[in-house]
Amino acid sequence: MARMVGTPGQAFRVRRDVTTAMALAQRLQQVRHHTLELIAPLESEDLCLQGMADASPPKWHLGHTTWFFETFVLKPALAAGQITGFEPAPEAWSYLFNSYYDAVGARHPRPERGLLSRPPIAAVLAWRQRVDAALQQLLSRPDACGPSAEQLSLLELGLQHEQQHQELLLMDLLDGFSRNPLEPVYDAAPEARFASAWRQPSAGSGHEPRWLSHPGGLVEIGHPGAAAGFHFDNEAPRHRVWLEPFAIAERLVSNGDFAAFIADGGYRRPELWMSEGWAAVQQRGWQAPRYWRGSDAFSLAGRQQRDGEAPVRHLSWFEADAYARWAGARLPSEAEWELLADQLPQAFGVLWQWTASPYRPYPGFAPAAGAVGEYNGKFMSSQMVLRGSCHLTPAGHERRTYRNFYGPACRWMASGVRLARDSQQQASP
Amino acid sequence: MARMVGTPGQAFRVRRDVTTAMALAQRLQQVRHHTLELIAPLESEDLCLQGMADASPPKWHLGHTTWFFETFVLKPALAAGQITGFEPAPEAWSYLFNSYYDAVGARHPRPERGLLSRPPIAAVLAWRQRVDAALQQLLSRPDACGPSAEQLSLLELGLQHEQQHQELLLMDLLDGFSRNPLEPVYDAAPEARFASAWRQPSAGSGHEPRWLSHPGGLVEIGHPGAAAGFHFDNEAPRHRVWLEPFAIAERLVSNGDFAAFIADGGYRRPELWMSEGWAAVQQRGWQAPRYWRGSDAFSLAGRQQRDGEAPVRHLSWFEADAYARWAGARLPSEAEWELLADQLPQAFGVLWQWTASPYRPYPGFAPAAGAVGEYNGKFMSSQMVLRGSCHLTPAGHERRTYRNFYGPACRWMASGVRLARDSQQQASP
Amino acid sequence: MARMVGTPGQAFRVRRDVTTAMALAQRLQQVRHHTLELIAPLESEDLCLQGMADASPPKWHLGHTTWFFETFVLKPALAAGQITGFEPAPEAWSYLFNSYYDAVGARHPRPERGLLSRPPIAAVLAWRQRVDAALQQLLSRPDACGPSAEQLSLLELGLQHEQQHQELLLMDLLDGFSRNPLEPVYDAAPEARFASAWRQPSAGSGHEPRWLSHPGGLVEIGHPGAAAGFHFDNEAPRHRVWLEPFAIAERLVSNGDFAAFIADGGYRRPELWMSEGWAAVQQRGWQAPRYWRGSDAFSLAGRQQRDGEAPVRHLSWFEADAYARWAGARLPSEAEWELLADQLPQAFGVLWQWTASPYRPYPGFAPAAGAVGEYNGKFMSSQMVLRGSCHLTPAGHERRTYRNFYGPACRWMASGVRLARDSQQQASP
Amino acid sequence: MARMVGTPGQAFRVRRDVTTAMALAQRLQQVRHHTLELIAPLESEDLCLQGMADASPPKWHLGHTTWFFETFVLKPALAAGQITGFEPAPEAWSYLFNSYYDAVGARHPRPERGLLSRPPIAAVLAWRQRVDAALQQLLSRPDACGPSAEQLSLLELGLQHEQQHQELLLMDLLDGFSRNPLEPVYDAAPEARFASAWRQPSAGSGHEPRWLSHPGGLVEIGHPGAAAGFHFDNEAPRHRVWLEPFAIAERLVSNGDFAAFIADGGYRRPELWMSEGWAAVQQRGWQAPRYWRGSDAFSLAGRQQRDGEAPVRHLSWFEADAYARWAGARLPSEAEWELLADQLPQAFGVLWQWTASPYRPYPGFAPAAGAVGEYNGKFMSSQMVLRGSCHLTPAGHERRTYRNFYGPACRWMASGVRLARDSQQQASP
């Protein structure tokens, strides 16, 4: 549930030159502006909406991403005399907008973020502007006191971090809106992106999926390192894995597929479930994916009829796992997924895809030092890896080696299911 | 915790004449307008703030009071052709803004009222205006199709109901703000009212309270009936009670008094507490009244230094009871309080005063028929009676026979303590 | 839920003479022996059975009653040299067998009493014998160092206390056995007592109950004091109460009566219930009295067919109150009950009868000093009074002024319902 | 928390011949008898002791293991006419003693096993004897109607299953006794076994552990199949894994080692913990391994002084993981452990050793068909693997490929810690 924030680590270092700084300044402006675009369709009262303890209100996301830049980049820069005139937020705000960095200090309890009606949005937006201006001031400084390689790396990290929160903001909002009997509409755009993403390139939805085979063997996965661009440290180091022959489905499981599972008693047959998952089914009364409502589904576009051919979404890992067992298949390991990701339709931009892999460190993984990297590996227990990206993921944020993760009972993120199976045959040529 | 709503009952009937209707129209306008004044100091995000399950957000209070008029007065009036052109709220709103009237239909879960970011405040305010206009339309109709006596009674009830929610809105807001580390300020006015109310007429604060004695005997309490003005049905019928000689303190227990209790180990000595209260002390970690913070206290005016001479407030019944035991006294019964209320300083406008009396029906009490009165007596278990009124109570809403009530562990309302004791002597002549 | 233990208080003092001591010695022997008879039908494993946090295992009841005598009588007597050769229990046992006397020291958590497989029963029984012998030693001492009046009073109290626990032991056991799918049988005797008790003298079961009327007025209730025999201090002082005219049913509500309530939707109609009771119905899924099973009922005699004419039992106060409302009646106040108890069939020995009265101190009530009386009034919140006695109450333990009490949601004690109603007429001559 | 029960699966089949049957009959007699020896030191009341929901009372273990044989072997054999005169337990017992086999029917709620004071132990023991006799009858039948290969496999499985429960019985009992302030003693034997097991062959306790290195590479783990003897199906299939070079400690972490971790603030430094583990530390107030008490430790031999050189035990995975991080090391993967198990001191008979590996199926794993194998893989989420065996494990039950598993917060089993680390060097020759 807690969200990952990677660190530059040892593998990733932004080169320190003017071109890099200028490019970063431009991307920063775009990313920060995009966050504001995301809240444009909201009513004022929506800004504090927190549907559950795992989610955060929109205003909190705005504050937290800003706090990240202020804490890790601007305050040190101010102390070092690299920037001037920057007025940080009141001291107490640090307590409010820290997410889980223990080294930075105590923090406000997560389940009570929705109670932070103050500071008002106007004050938060003014702070965002001050921070943006100070970041641009730092980046535009061409002299020796300009941003260090370390600072450029932290800025890149802050940018990636804000992109993560852009996705979180939308999925948290969907959770919050889903609890309102009025079934509010946020905006039609995300659904339109989803529809166009899953439809092309088609992988034969509505029929038995085609399978892409691989002969297995000793393969390499993980991010190749700095030269290949930004990555979070949980993606490294690149390492060898032995795989048995396998095949992986070329499309995601559809609403229609999943409806057949339900019709076949899927939610009433304990033999299909992990023991822990079956307990969740009983206790939470699961009978369908989270946002199914009759023959409709709830989304950021409000309540709409469900498309049987569209990929099923908002499933827990337990449901994905049970479905795969019912279908005579299994979930892919993250290594299998990564190996064939470039050849798989619907790998990116549609739905995050549950894997069979618990979220654990790669061999040789070492968390970075300092507060930013303080806890990068601290979520590596009792969670499962998802791969790919979804229609809420900001453009350019996806990556073949990206490791997303959630607890196996979570359902509020845009998760989907891709099947895999053991294969006796060699891969097709 | 749930709030009382009385009904006209059999005892109370508004006379049906033009003067009554005009006076009601004017009071209605004032009361409805006052609710809007109460939210003027708020930020938009405050409108959905719900600090705990027992409290409700400001916007909900606005909607609920409006729903009351629409449901019990306007919809029947519209159906009867008494008013025209009135556009009720969408059907779904009835589900959102019903508080606990089972006969009217299902309702939204109370603990999730803070999740109702929609409908937006603008829509709620527009609805309020439509309702106000329709009420005035009904009241201004002079002909035979004008408001019936029953309708006038319901309007009076709706007005009293809205006044109750004005007080609730403020105490709920205080609860919500108290959970924000920024310690927000609502407005200075309520604290000013409190200060001027408890200071006059002085009852010798800072010293041992003076005691007002009464010889007891067979006395009468309860509301005398319709001729004496509006009352909630839990105040009736007037009935006889036998009292032993007693004395009652002329002032409320002060912060200084209570600090002495704490200094004497009051929160650490189980022998002073009801068993259930001692469990509450342990489980909730009580060490002082709810809003004490160091030598300060939190209020709607933010955090301010505590005045030792001011009445102590925001105490549970358990704390009031334990204090009284420590002080060698006891709480007054509601009959004792009512009997001497007119002679007691600080009886009204300062703090509600806990009594020793469980909230139970008076002998001969009969709840009114129909949805409005559906459940008037349904809160008559496991709660204790408070008497008087407080600085948040709207002017004119207090009454000597008024029976307020809360669970014995509640602390978020403006409660205080007045002591009583048995008396051997006859009352002074 | 916690059980009352009264103290001799000021009103009650046993006279100090040899006759009194001898009579007490004899009764003590009988009462202590009766406890052992109660566990005779049990299997060894039953001795630690604790079905829920509110109940205690049989072995614990044996230990606790013994601890009471050791702590309040024998240890002081040993210290004073009144007895010799007495070997108290190991120090640690005091922690295990203290129920709620804070002044005596810390105590083992109530919900974990079932985990006390040690000390084994043999050790507890040996301790009982040592304590009994020492008590007889004290009581048989004729000289000036014999038992003081205070000690005789404590012995009488310990005896009454043990009788209370004899009833508790059986109702706790019924709760524990009720959770075993094998539906164990304890013994047929209690059911036989119940059957013979409710059948005579008959009050016309199976028909509309006859009503006994009383004109009301200024009456006296409460125990008249020491000369009239033992009483717990919550029964005193005797005091005046004003009553309006009323009538009270001559028989208890029967299973058949209650079945009609259920058939009429009693458990599905919120308008019949206290708000708090309705919440209990929802949360706990109540659909019938606690031990109803189909057309049978579970009792200490195992599962047996339900007799429609027998009084309904194991009801919460909420169910009793809802039934009374449905029947167009109400529960009697404890004053009403006490006033007519001697004329009412089925007043004693059948079922405890819920009253409309919250359990609160009588006017002028003062708890006794010292550890024994430490907390006598500490249960006087959020509980309701029951009057009479039941078929599990040891012979001779019942009393017209006896005030039993439980929380309004409790159902595991032998509770029943007697109706009352307001009466305009004067009492029949 | 729920316990694994493997199935013969496809890999394991007992050969069907007289020698096999006779050998099995003899081992069965020994194993069944050993269970009775385990309860010999108990008091009657201990037989129902259930300290927490995860644990089961001794009597339940006796019943459940017997139920297993009756359900999966004897009832089919009776139906097939292979045995005669066998009287099964009453039907209702099946409900009581089923653990988690959904295909066999509903079952009694696990947390309430301690409430089953009935059936009494005498009845359970008589049933055990009937079952043992019937098993011997079946096994001694030499003709064509003797036990089938399938039945022999199920008998072997039942035997292994009973051995698992022998260990569970002791660790559950330790949990139960640990909650009794009297600190009961079970027996000295298990502690004696522990002491002699960890002391030899010595791996240099009290000093920096020696490290055993391995160059990694493509290795094989998992059980080789039927010819190599019995195994649970989660140990198969044998498969290839790629390992990087690593080293593994030759001894377990000692009490002294762990005391240094505590002294260094181990339980107060969030940076050492998984986020989920840190939450457990806070919520449960962990400050030391489960059974540490001052400078003593509680065990089945009661409270005794802690030996600093002895391996630390009763640690959660979170504590093991945090300790490893503090020590600059990590936990071994299960493949690393298995690869070197035969060369490691203290691998078996001392303490189960936490690994870094989540409990997931091996590549190609397929659960067996039918009720026995129904749920073999259903615990493969949110649990971590432990390897080796402990001093409570019955002799002959341990195996190099054995996969034990518990949730990462569990502490009541005999778990310990062995460190590992990455290694650049090649293995020592």
Side-chain angles (χ1 to χ4, degrees), chain A residues 1 316-317 354 382-384 405-411 413:
Chain A
M1 258 104 346
S316 66
W317 182 85
W354 283 115
S382 305
Q383 311 213 44
M384 302 302 291
F405 54 89
Y406 283 91
C410 295
R411 315 207 298 171
M413 64 294 188

Side-chain angles (χ1 to χ4, degrees), chain C residues 222-402:
Chain C
H223 197 275
F230 176 85
H231 66 280
F232 292 114
D233 59 2
N234 60 12
E235 303 168 43
R238 191 161 176 83
H239 63 285
R240 281 166 287 189
V241 175
W242 177 264
L243 293 182
E244 300 297 325
F246 69 97
I248 194 162
E250 294 197 359
R251 67 167 174 85
L252 303 188
V253 172
S254 70
N255 284 322
D257 296 335
F258 203 81
F261 166 77
I262 297 177
D264 196 35
Y267 282 97
R268 298 188 308 272
R269 292 167 53 186
E271 73 272 19
L272 297 173
W273 297 78
M274 286 288 142
S275 176
E276 191 190 2
W278 183 242
V281 168
Q282 305 296 305
Q283 285 161 20
R284 307 180 189 209
W286 288 346
Q287 300 186 351
R290 163 118 190 228
Y291 294 126
W292 285 25
R293 296 185 176 181
S295 59
D296 298 338
F298 184 68
S299 74
L300 289 170
R303 182 171 179 157
Q304 293 183 321
Q305 201 178 355
R306 210 162 56 228
D307 181 342
E309 299 210 349
V312 64
R313 48 182 159 162
H314 294 293
L315 295 164
S316 66
W317 183 85
F318 291 128
E319 288 160 298
D321 174 70
Y323 175 85
R325 191 165 292 110
W326 172 80
R330 58 171 176 80
L331 300 176
S333 72
E334 56 175 329
E336 291 168 341
W337 190 97
E338 184 173 323
L339 206 60
L340 296 187
D342 293 343
Q343 306 165 53
L344 290 173
Q346 301 179 337
F348 298 99
V350 182
L351 294 171
W352 291 99
Q353 294 140 63
W354 283 114
T355 71
S357 303
Y359 178 52
R360 292 287 296 149
Y362 283 166
F365 168 80
V372 153
E374 171 189 353
Y375 275 142
N376 199 32
K378 77 177 177 180
F379 301 115
M380 290 177 169
S381 69
S382 305
Q383 311 213 43
M384 301 302 290
V385 171
L386 300 101
R387 288 302 195 101
S389 67
C390 76
H391 61 293
L392 306 177
T393 311
H397 189 68
E398 72 279 355
R399 198 159 45 245
R400 198 166 54 91
T401 57
Y402 206 110

Side-chain angles (χ1 to χ4, degrees), chain D residues 149-226:
Chain D
E150 173 71 19
Q151 284 175 319
L152 291 172
S153 300
L154 283 165
L155 280 163
E156 175 70 40
L157 180 59
L159 186 154
Q160 300 280 344
H161 172 249
E162 181 132 0
Q163 287 185 311
Q164 291 183 308
H165 277 276
Q166 288 168 353
E167 179 174 333
L168 289 171
L169 188 155
L170 293 177
M171 64 186 243
D172 290 356
L173 185 70
L174 176 57
D175 164 73
F177 274 180
S178 77
R179 298 170 192 273
N180 190 325
L182 301 181
E183 303 188 323
V185 173
Y186 165 71
D187 194 68
E191 282 309 287
R193 276 202 303 281
F194 180 71
S196 76
W198 75 261
R199 283 213 167 84
Q200 58 154 328
S202 171
S205 68
H207 310 82
E208 173 68 10
R210 286 196 297 268
W211 296 86
L212 182 61
S213 294
H214 189 280
L218 195 61
V219 305
E220 278 202 353
I221 67 162
H223 197 275

